[in-house]
Amino acid sequence: MPKKRVIRKLEVRRKREFTLHGRTLPELQALPLDQLALVLGARARRTIRRGFSNTVENFHARLLEAPTVKPLRTHCRDALILPLHVGRRVAVYNGKEFKEFEVRPEMIGHYYGEFTLTRRFEKHSGPGVGATRSSKFMPLK
């Protein structure tokens, strides 16, 4: 009995639309700040409830006015990422230099400082000559 050949159709994978607690990005962008606070996590809710500091308020205003092509440089690491910031380019200072990135929808509710690490992992090599008693017997070449 001959085997049947199964012809599989190629399925086009559609990119999944971003949702946060069942709300799409345009819905999140339309929400007022107090309604958005109910969708976000506890830390972001607390930040919104207490109000933003002057530096964070100024940063949010500058970010909305700035052109989307050029990154906005800031030292404000404690600013909350809001839905209106999605698609903007931001360069956040990490203590040594400005790290540039584009705000994606998955970052909503996080802080800008979370995406620019201040400490670098330093990988150590083996011990040097004279560092331990056993390194006496290591060849120098």
Side-chain angles (χ1 to χ4, degrees), residues 43-60:
R43 174 53 51 188
R45 229 182 357 257
R46 179 180 168 93
T47 302
I48 292 171
R49 190 182 76 231
R50 288 178 162 228
F52 298 123
S53 66
N54 289 338
T55 55
V56 174
E57 280 286 346
N58 293 340
F59 170 69
H60 286 310

Side-chain angles (χ1 to χ4, degrees), residues 30-48:
L31 286 176
L33 204 56
D34 58 336
Q35 292 294 319
L36 178 66
L38 300 175
V39 178
L40 299 177
R43 174 53 51 188
R45 229 182 357 257
R46 179 180 168 93
T47 302
I48 292 171

Side-chain angles (χ1 to χ4, degrees), residues 126-140:
V129 176
T132 62
R133 287 184 153 282
S134 64
S135 65
K136 254 192 307 197
F137 304 107
M138 292 184 64
L140 293 175

Side-chain angles (χ1 to χ4, degrees), residues 52-107:
F52 298 123
S53 66
N54 289 338
T55 55
V56 174
E57 280 286 346
N58 293 340
F59 170 69
H60 286 310
R62 280 182 30 228
L63 188 62
L64 296 177
E65 293 170 4
T68 56
V69 179
K70 189 176 177 186
L72 180 68
R73 291 167 58 128
T74 183
H75 284 249
C76 195
R77 298 173 55 82
D78 61 340
L80 190 65
I81 298 177
L82 300 175
L84 297 174
H85 301 174
V86 173
R88 306 278 181 162
R89 297 204 58 76
V90 181
V92 181
Y93 194 66
N94 70 354
K96 181 179 178 184
E97 60 192 0
F98 287 92
K99 293 287 186 173
E100 185 182 319
F101 60 91
E102 184 175 352
V103 179
R104 296 188 312 268
E106 296 84 21
M107 298 177 178

